[in-house]
């Protein structure tokens, strides 16, 4: 009987942790990191503040987990979009369209994920996020070079530059609230030129 009780306790703790992370994600999407407090997260999650600290010893730990969760969702979305395409160029385009399109639909969250000042623990996760995007693009670029679709180039260097350009190009329009479909089209044109995609 103790075994079942332990399973129930574990399941309850896991559910509580997930509610806390979901609550923090919601606040982050609405107000950014600056607008997130542990008390606000606890209130939205329907738990005591002490319960948040039971799962996450410090605010930085909570938001590192929130960043991991949010960034993994973004990586999964661009991976799914690219997987539906048949050529390297189309996959890169799908990554750009998906990345930028999701940013436009949730600009406050995108700003928080891309550049908002954060604790070092969260900044470390931001670097992991960028590297994951770069690794994904490097594979597509390498495939394009191997298949003759793209000119010879260093896929790792190019993909890192593309990720940096994407993030930097989105920051201004997101912060000013002026990003739109033309932003995505301009990014695709720029990155295709940078990759050497034939007109």
């Amino acid at each position: 009987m103790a075994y079942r009780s332990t399973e129930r306790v574990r399941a309850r703790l896991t559910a509580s942790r997930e509610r806390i992370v979901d609550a923090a994600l919601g606040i982050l999407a609405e107000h950014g990191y600056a607008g997130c407090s542990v008390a606000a997260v606890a209130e939205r999650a329907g738990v005591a503040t002490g319960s948040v600290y039971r799962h996450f010893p410090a605010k930085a730990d909570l938001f590192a987990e929130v960043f991991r969760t949010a960034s993994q969702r973004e990586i999964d979305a661009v991976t799914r979009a690219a997987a539906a395409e048949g050529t390297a160029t189309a996959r890169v385009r799908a990554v750009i369209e998906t990345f930028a399109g999701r940013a436009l639909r949730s600009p406050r969250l995108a700003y928080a994920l891309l550049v908002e000042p954060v604790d070092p623990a969260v900044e470390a996760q931001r670097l992991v996020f960028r590297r994951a995007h770069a690794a994904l693009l490097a594979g597509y670029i390498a495939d394009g070079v191997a298949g003759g679709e793209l000119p010879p180039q260093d896929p790792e260097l190019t993909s890192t530059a593309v990720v940096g350009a994407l993030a930097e190009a989105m920051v201004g329009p997101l912060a000013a609230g002026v990003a739109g479909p033309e932003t995505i089209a301009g990014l695709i044109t720029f990155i295709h030129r940078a990759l050497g995609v034939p007109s």
Side-chain angles (χ1 to χ4, degrees):
M1 195 54 107
Y3 177 73
R4 286 185 183 161
S5 177
T6 302
E7 277 184 1
R8 278 195 292 266
V9 168
R10 208 171 306 135
R12 194 169 59 245
L13 288 173
T14 299
S16 175
R17 182 183 176 92
E18 289 171 359
R19 270 197 326 277
I20 291 166
V21 171
D22 286 344
L25 270 167
I27 295 171
L28 181 67
E30 294 165 12
H31 306 289
Y33 287 106
C36 281
S37 69
V38 172
V41 170
E43 183 179 335
R44 184 173 284 197
V47 300
T49 303
S51 293
V52 175
Y53 286 113
R54 187 174 306 122
H55 292 283
F56 303 98
K59 181 180 177 181
D61 297 321
L62 168 61
F63 287 104
E65 179 64 24
V66 167
F67 193 94
R68 268 190 299 277
T69 301
S71 60
Q72 189 58 56
R73 289 177 184 174
E74 298 306 310
I75 292 292
D76 292 346
V78 297
T79 301
R80 279 190 308 272
E85 301 298 336
T87 66
T89 303
R91 288 185 189 111
V92 169
R93 179 186 186 99
V95 168
I96 298 164
E97 287 175 339
T98 305
F99 176 87
R102 289 173 65 86
L104 294 178
R105 286 190 297 280
S106 189
R108 191 66 194 94
L109 177 61
Y111 185 80
L113 292 176
L114 292 172
V115 295
E116 186 174 359
V118 292
D119 290 321
V122 178
E123 188 61 44
Q125 290 304 311
R126 185 175 281 155
L127 184 57
V128 170
F129 174 60
R130 285 186 176 218
R131 285 180 179 158
H133 272 286
L136 184 70
L137 283 168
Y140 302 145
I141 294 166
D143 290 346
V145 171
E149 190 180 339
L150 297 174
Q153 57 195 288
D154 179 339
E156 285 76 25
L157 177 62
T158 303
S159 65
T160 300
V162 166
V163 169
L166 265 175
E168 196 62 35
M170 291 300 296
V171 170
L174 286 171
V178 296
E182 66 284 348
T183 304
I184 297 173
L187 281 169
I188 290 168
T189 299
F190 171 77
I191 290 171
H192 276 184
R193 285 179 183 155
L195 294 175
V197 175
S199 298

